[in-house]
Each structure stands twice: as C-alpha cells, then as structure tokens.
Amino acid sequence: MPVFPFSNRHTIRTSGSSVSLIALLTLSVSTTAFAATDAPVAKPGEKPRHATPASAHKASAKTHALTSRTAENIGVEGHRQANWVSNPVSAATIREYVAGTNPLKALTRLPGVLFNSGDPQGVNTWQNSFLMHGFDQSQIGMTLDGIPLGDQQFSNVNGLSPTSAISSENIERMDVSASTGSESVASTSNLGGTVQFISRDPSHKRGASVNQTFGSNAMYRTFLRLESGDLNPQGTRFYVSYARNDTNKWRGGQDQFMQQVNAKVLHPIGQDSRITAFFDYADLQMQNYQDYSLDMFNHGGYAIDNFIGQPGGYEKAYRLALAQRGLPGGQVPAAYANLKSPYTASYYEGAQMQHSYIGGVSADLALTDRLRWQSTAYGHRSYQRGSVASPLIASPNGAPLIDQVTQPDTDRFGFTTSLSYRIAHNVLNAGLWYENTHFDISKPLYQEPLLEDVLNGTATPVNGLDNLKNPFQNGYRQVFNTNTFVAYFQDTYHVTNTIALHAGFRSVLNTSRVGALANWQTYTRTTAIAGGDSLTSSKPFLPHFSGEWRFAPGHQLYFDIAENVKVYPVSGYNSGSSPFSTSQASYLASKSSLQPETDWNFAGGYRYTGRLISGSLYGYHTIFSNRLQRISTGPTTQPYTTIQNVGGVTMSGVDGAVTLTPVKGLSLTNSISYNRAVYDDNITQTINGSRVTYNIKGQQVVAYPRLMYHADLSYTWHDLQAHIEAQYVGKRNLSYTGDTKVPSYWLTNFGARYDLSKQLHRLSHTGFVQHLSLDFNVYNLTNVKYISTMGQNGYPMAGDYQSVVLGAPRQYFGAVHADF
C-alpha cells in the first residue's frame, strides 16, 4: 500500500487523541409486505432508480460473491427507516456537483431546502448554513451510518460536520425526512427532520479509483480510493481513501486546505448478517472570509476581506486599529470611507483549524428469520481552533491589537443497540442510545508584535494557524460534561399490501454540567461567566404517528405527526444559542424560565411516479414552543450576546414538485416551496435600565425565505450528460423585527460529463482502466452578486449587523475520473 502524501500546511499543536469506534444503528427491517415502501422510489429532482427484486437475491448461492452481495443488500436495507416522508438522494446526484462539494448542497434538489456557503464547494464550516422547512442545521438531526453528528452549530460540541465525517465520494446516499424525523434516529436536536448519510460499502472487486479536479483560484482536489476486493470466500473486504482539497480564496489572501482519510471494513456472516468498521480522519486549515454587514454589501463593494496575505497587510490592520483608538499613525483605507463601521470591516486575520478522528464498529445480526439485533460502539475526538485579530484590546507591548483564539476540544463515546421482530403483519422495533461528551473550550489571547519590528524583519505577526505558544492571558475557559440517554419503541403495522400504519415514541434524558475555570473580566466584561451548575432536559414520552396508502399503481398518500425536543445546547461564552454562553448573572436570571425547545409537526403528502411524469405535493404545519435565539449586539470579535426565549413560532408551508421525462435522456424538474413561519409574541428587553419592546410578532423567522423555487434540466445523449440548475431564494429577515432584509437572488449552476470508457476500450483491450470520464462544472453561471449565509455571529433585534457572508462569484472546474 502506498504512503499517502500527508503534509501539514502549518505547524500546529495537537492534543492527545483517543481514536475510538463509530457508526450507530437505527433499525427498521424491510419485509415483503412493504418492500415497495422502502424501495428507492424516484423523487422529483432525482434520476429514476429501480429497486433490485427480492427474488434476485434468492436466485442462486453458487458463488461466495453472490452470497456476499445478498448480505450487503440486507445490511443496507436494515438502516432504512419506515418513514414514508423519507426522500433518498443518491450518490449520482452528489456526483453532479464538483468533487468534494459539501453533500448537503445536493439536498437543494429537494423542495424547501436551502444550503448556503461562502465558497463554491461549501467546505468552510464557519460560513456554511443548512435550512429545511424553516429549521436551521442546529435543529435538524444528522447521522452517518447511524452515528450522531450532533447539532451542527460551528464548533460542534457533540458531533462533526458531514464534510469532516466522510469524503463525499464515499457516500452511497442520503435519506432525508422533512419536518417530523424519526424516533429511531440518534439525535437530540431533530426538531425539523433528519438527514441520514449512508456510506458506500467496499467493492467485491479489487481495484482503485482516482479523481483529479482543477478549478478557479488555483483549486485542486485529489481523491484516491483503493479497494481490496473479496479477501476470502465469505466476502470480507475493505477500502481506504485519501482526499486532499486546496484552493486559494476568491477574494483576499491565503488559502483553504483540507485533507481526509476514510477506511471501511465489511465482514459478511452467513447470508444476512455482517460486521462493519469505519474510520475517518480529517485535517482542516483555512483562512476565513470576512463577514459582511448589509452596509458593507451596499456601500463597500464585493472585495473587502481580512488583510492577511495581501501586500502590507499587517501594516494596514495595525494602522486601522490605531485609527479606531484615535492614535497617531492611524489610517482608514479609502475604500472604507463610506462605511458606518469602517474599523471592524477588516481584521488582520481570521482562521479556523480542526483535527478530528471518528470511528467505530457495528454488528448487524439476524438471530432468527424474524429477530434482528443491531449494535454499534463509536468514538470521536476533535481539536479545533478559531482565531481572529481583534483591534478591541491592546497587546501588553503596546500594539493596538491582539490575536484571540477560540479552542474547542471534544471527546465523546457512545453505543446504540436495537432489536427488531417481525410477527404477523407487524414489525416491532426497540432501541437504546447512550452518549457521554466532554467539551473543553478556552480563549487564549496572544500578543501581536509592534509594527516597526515587523517592518524591520525582527518579528512576525501572529497567525491563528501557526504553532501558537505562550498566550499573555486566557479570556475564559469553560468545561462541560454531558450524558445523553434515549430509548424508543415503534411498531409498523401493515393493514394490507397497500396500507401501513406506524406508531412509536421516544424517551429523552439529557444532563449537561458546566464549570468555569477562567474569566478575564477585561475580555468578558463580566465578573463571572456561567459555571458551577447543570441543566437537564427530560421528555419521557414523545409520540410519533404516520401512515401511507398506495391506492393505485404509482400513487401514494401519507401523513406524519410527531412531537420532538431539542435538548439544551452547549456552547462556550458568547458563542452559540446555549443558556451557558452568557454571564453567570444572566444565566441565573433566566434559568427559572428556561424550557427546552419543543414542537409538534403535522405533515401530509401525495406522490405520483410514472414513466413520463412524476410529482409530489407536501404540506406541513408546525407549532414551535420555547424557541431559544442568540441575540447579538456590538462588534463581532467581542459581542454582547444574550440567549432569549423568543416564545412560540407558528409555521405552515407547502411544497410542490414535478419531474417530466418526455423523451429518453431528457429530464426537467420544477419545484416551489412556500413557508410562513412567524413569531407568536413580541420581545421585551432591558437596555440601559429601560424596558424596550420589539415588535416581532407576525414577522417571518430570521434567515429563512417565504418563497423558493428550483429548476433542473438534464439531458443524456450517448456518452454525454449535461445539466443546468437554477434556484431562486426570496428575501430573508436579518433582524427579528424585519426592518433589515437580505435581498433575493437567482443562482445558476452548470455541469457536464463525458464518458470516455467505450473509446478507451476500443483502443486498448488490456482492461487496466475500467472507466474514464471528464467533468466540467460552472458555479454561479451568471456571476450574480448575492448574500449567502446569515447569522453566523447571531442576529440583531433590529437594524444591521456584521453577520452575513458573500456568495462566491463565477467559478470554473474540470476533473478527470478513472476506475482501475
């Protein structure tokens, strides 16, 4: 096996890591009675696919390869939830995007889904957001092969972003359940549905896959996967992959780098059991793009960014900090003259770094022909760093700025186990999930050098990706310990071959304890931060009901009703929507009135799948209680953050989608979604001793538009496939009162692929290269200027705030893919 070309782009400190084991199993076993329900039915926006008939897996047992394939299919189906609202999005759809693109971006093919990013691939986790039917990524449950990926806020305390958990080339499919989710999914944040990532299994055939991508801004991505093939008559096999993604930023200086290793082992047991093990390592080191405000968007142009990597960058940042303090030598760049807040429009640098390991082993065992047992043990270790050069605090040496570094450190382990039993027309399923998470977050502060020392070459500015040593102070430090216990039971009853009903419930118990180990009042501006206390979320009965009726060939009606809870989130001081992220005084004042976020979701829909036309109509109504929101004021490097219960939210929406396939190879999909999600109550705050009421009642929730539209046209002619997609995103509220709105936009992408395999085989009969193709993609085809992500620094009650991200301009990408 070759040595992979690892290279750390910067010298970095890593703390001790414990690589444990992954993958959780959530179970709903398919039976003949509802095979049509769990089959991968084509959805609007998806290419039509066909399920393998069950008889095909019983036809022959002459070779071990066929036996292995049978076990593989049963194992995969065992992970599928009995939820008629589930929409599978395949690896083929993911591959239509640039290699290495965040897989969540492919979900925008589904109505009501919005993915935002500051870079075209969506790999920068600080500037990403994912929303579905009015809920953001911190309110949607995500898992990888069943392992919980946490609440998806930046500096994810109890999980990992999908891009860091698995290379997109190794995803087999994503199962999306809008609104209600599933009681068996291992998540304590799934208020608004679930996204389950399913990894591909190793191939039965020995070989390799290589993909080399090039693009705008010196982007390149290399992906290599080695397949062992069947190692024995049982079909034991594995793969190992390595991915390296590197690109310059499209504005400003410096680059964005990521490398990743995946490995998976599969050992079949008999014909319908198996043991699998999975491992992932990810190394991410990136300079972030500067956050914008609406004022910067309207009056500052499209090129403002942090100064690092630009000629004279440190001197510009230094003199801007002097100008903010009114000191001699200060200077504001001419381009910032029309800005309301020129001093915080750019910093010297703002970076993020993450090392993460996640892995585990799972067993999927058929104890009898009716009883199945699935269990998984998993572990996860992450060390992260987020930095920004702040001009709000002076260094001890007199330099008018410091480098402040947020260091989240996560260790977690857990296990799941479930039993499924088929009897008569019922599939009974019960399971347990336990997880322990230890989270340590601190804010060391580093002294920046004097300008004259940098200019004469005797000192170097601090970079958050450097090997940082000897901070002059620790802004704060908090330590959290969280225990989560979830149990569930569900029953799917097949009344007839065309009617099925589902009922179940889950019980959730979650306790988080916080300790405050450091607090520098100059930085936190409070005598004490939250510490020495705990919060418990307890919901012993969260019901879920659903059903479907396939009343004619291709026609399906279904409904889905569930109550869900999101446990109290955990995050460090002034970061995230957690009750623990405030001062001790604010925490104690609000503790008695705190309640975990809960909601009731009611949904129903209709689907039709035919040869020439497929369509769907989906309606939902949500009653959301105790919505906790992060309300921010002041500069983003040192904001005043409060966590407030903004009361109830009432949401109603409808999605419609139609896919036309009038001739062979041509597919046209149109989808539209409308969402009315409004706050039920006004908010009153005490500001400078006075009570101020903000009229947010009836306002659309922040960040999510009322109207979205998506169109996708694809055509396949012989070995050429091309597609073009366009998405319209309506206006979005930046403030809770709705007095500041982000403008609507259209975003258009194009992609094409040409398969050279036939021509290759005509020229060479050796068969060494099995498949060869060329890809070409254009992101933002019309080069529109638009605002993408919102709220990464929180949202203001009213007015503007530096908490939005610019979308990337037009970008070009080309790739060569080969299978050996």
Side-chain angles (χ1 to χ4, degrees), residues 10-28:
H10 307 275
T11 303
I12 50 180
R13 180 182 68 82
T14 59
S15 52
S17 60
S18 58
V19 180
S20 313
L21 303 174
I22 101 177
L24 146 74
L25 294 189
T26 56
L27 175 64
S28 286

Side-chain angles (χ1 to χ4, degrees), residues 496-731:
T496 68
N497 287 336
T498 59
I499 299 176
L501 298 173
H502 175 91
F505 73 94
R506 67 190 332 228
S507 299
V508 175
L509 179 64
N510 172 277
T511 299
S512 293
R513 174 166 288 276
V514 59
L517 304 185
N519 175 51
W520 186 40
Q521 190 170 344
T522 301
Y523 175 79
T524 63
R525 294 160 297 176
T526 182
T527 56
I529 60 176
D533 207 344
S534 65
L535 287 173
T536 295
S537 305
S538 177
K539 290 291 181 180
F541 185 73
L542 295 168
H544 183 198
F545 307 98
S546 67
E548 70 144 356
W549 177 30
R550 287 176 281 118
F551 59 91
H555 296 269
Q556 180 190 38
L557 287 171
Y558 58 90
F559 73 90
D560 213 10
I561 302 171
E563 183 185 15
N564 294 311
V565 65
K566 177 181 178 181
V567 302
Y568 294 115
V570 168
S571 57
Y573 182 73
N574 265 354
S575 61
S577 300
S578 169
F580 299 120
S581 64
T582 61
S583 67
Q584 180 74 351
S586 296
Y587 166 75
L588 293 176
S590 63
K591 181 181 178 181
S592 61
S593 62
L594 286 175
Q595 294 289 333
E597 296 179 328
T598 59
D599 65 10
W600 274 96
N601 288 298
F602 306 86
Y606 163 77
R607 291 193 188 107
Y608 171 72
T609 304
R611 186 177 65 86
L612 298 178
I613 184 172
S614 298
S616 67
L617 185 65
Y618 178 76
Y620 56 95
H621 179 71
T622 299
I623 303 172
F624 194 159
S625 302
N626 304 307
R627 184 156 184 162
L628 299 180
Q629 294 279 190
R630 179 185 177 190
I631 301 169
S632 300
T633 57
T636 56
T637 59
Q638 202 174 356
Y640 291 94
T641 296
T642 60
I643 307 303
Q644 189 158 347
N645 186 334
V646 296
V649 172
T650 300
M651 177 164 57
S652 297
V654 61
D655 298 337
V658 175
T659 297
L660 303 175
T661 52
V663 296
K664 182 180 179 181
L666 178 65
S667 175
L668 172 63
T669 297
N670 285 270
S671 68
I672 191 168
S673 62
Y674 175 81
N675 172 285
R676 184 181 185 274
V678 298
Y679 299 107
D680 296 337
D681 309 288
N682 292 326
I683 292 293
T684 300
Q685 289 185 316
T686 300
I687 300 177
N688 298 325
S690 301
R691 300 285 285 175
V692 178
T693 298
Y694 293 94
N695 297 315
I696 71 170
K697 184 177 181 179
Q699 286 292 329
Q700 180 78 1
V701 298
V702 292
Y704 194 78
R706 288 215 168 159
L707 183 65
M708 288 194 294
Y709 169 78
H710 190 279
D712 181 82
L713 175 66
S714 65
Y715 184 65
T716 301
W717 183 72
H718 297 290
D719 298 323
L720 176 66
Q721 188 274 333
H723 77 276
I724 186 169
E725 62 168 344
Q727 184 180 31
Y728 171 78
V729 177
K731 290 182 179 180

Side-chain angles (χ1 to χ4, degrees), residues 790-809:
M790 298 171 59
Q792 69 276 16
N793 294 309
Y795 301 93
M797 287 303 305
D800 196 4
Y801 195 56
Q802 193 172 343
S803 191
V804 301
V805 173
L806 298 184

